[in-house]
Amino acid sequence: MTSPEELLKLAVDVAEEAAQLIVERRRGTITVADTKSTVTDVVTAVDRESEELIRARVLRARPDDSFLGEEGDDVIGTSGVRWVVDPIDGTVNYLYDLPTYAVSIAVEYGGETVAGVVVDAPKGEVFTATLGGGAFADGKPIQVSGETDLAKALVGTGFGYDPARRQVQAEVIQHLITKVRDIRRIGVGAIDLCYVACGRLDAVYERGLNPWDYGAGALIAAEAGARIGGLNGAPVSPEMSIAATPALFEPFHALLAAADPLRA
């Protein structure tokens, strides 16, 4: 297998090219090209253009690899390596010209994420990690905040697009809000995880994230020292994604589970 470091180099080159593309396109008029789960879950033509660019660059360099993107058809390869891509994480922010959205690329081998990059496109900030190799922001090592007191924790989260799910998520927020320092809703799951990695948030949780949302960010957070998981010992999945400083994970998990262990 190609080393994680070599895979990361390709991932970074491609992610930075895609980030430049979407920033350039944002100088024009952005319109909704389609919707997915609900009328508020949107796709722009630039989402598709960005994914097509990433797919073409990756498969040109590594034609035997698999490819899983948010917007296009899956590619099944033979190498054991799979690229998991979100061409614009934070499409609603992008649509409204809110300056936080990202390109996220995770690289898996044998089902395990071995390299990941998240590029905060408007800022040009590049978060990277390889399995066992640490986490970095713009090439400098990063680590979690080390916060130990849940009452002082700044917590990030996000909301789904289905109204019924949002109702439940609002109830969970009501349960949490008096027990932590404050809550932030940035609108970009990959950035939330990277912000835990570099100490800008102490914990994040979200139900409904997909592999392309959390693949790279979860590795970056873990390599920066965060504890990662789902509810009740489950791994990170669309059912629940939690990342927190090690001392906060258990009490924060208990708080989420108490809010409603089946629906949080």
Side-chain angles (χ1 to χ4, degrees), residues 175-192:
H175 182 79
L176 297 181
I177 191 66
T178 60
K179 300 175 179 65
V180 299
R181 182 190 296 275
D182 208 346
I183 293 176
R184 293 290 181 269
R185 196 277 199 257
I186 295 167
V188 189
I191 293 292
D192 284 345

Side-chain angles (χ1 to χ4, degrees), residues 116-142:
V117 57
V118 175
V119 179
D120 184 330
K123 298 182 182 68
E125 192 169 30
V126 181
F127 296 93
T128 58
T130 54
L131 184 63
F136 301 84
D138 292 338
K140 297 179 181 178
I142 54 175

Side-chain angles (χ1 to χ4, degrees), residues 78-228:
T78 58
S79 66
V81 174
R82 183 171 78 154
W83 298 72
V84 182
V85 171
D86 194 334
I88 304 179
D89 192 12
T91 298
V92 173
N93 283 2
Y94 186 71
L95 181 65
Y96 281 81
D97 202 17
L98 295 172
T100 305
Y101 46 88
V103 176
S104 174
I105 301 178
V107 192
E108 300 174 347
Y109 179 71
E112 182 175 37
T113 304
V114 298
V117 57
V118 175
V119 179
D120 184 330
K123 298 182 182 68
E125 192 169 30
V126 181
F127 296 93
T128 58
T130 54
L131 184 63
F136 301 84
D138 292 338
K140 297 179 181 178
I142 54 175
Q143 62 183 13
V144 296
S145 71
E147 181 58 65
T148 61
D149 184 351
L150 189 58
K152 295 179 181 177
L154 187 61
V155 174
T157 193
F159 305 127
Y161 291 101
D162 178 76
R165 173 172 285 182
R166 286 184 173 187
Q167 178 62 45
V168 173
Q169 290 171 325
E171 293 168 8
V172 173
I173 290 282
Q174 188 174 19
H175 182 79
L176 297 181
I177 191 66
T178 60
K179 300 175 179 65
V180 299
R181 182 190 296 275
D182 208 346
I183 293 176
R184 293 290 181 269
R185 196 277 199 257
I186 295 167
V188 189
I191 293 292
D192 284 345
L193 290 160
C194 291
Y195 279 7
V196 170
C198 68
R200 296 174 190 167
L201 293 171
D202 302 304
V204 298
Y205 76 97
E206 187 166 352
R207 183 177 175 89
L209 290 182
N210 291 296
W212 46 80
D213 298 310
Y214 62 71
L219 176 67
I220 293 164
E223 288 294 325
R227 184 172 166 187
I228 309 292

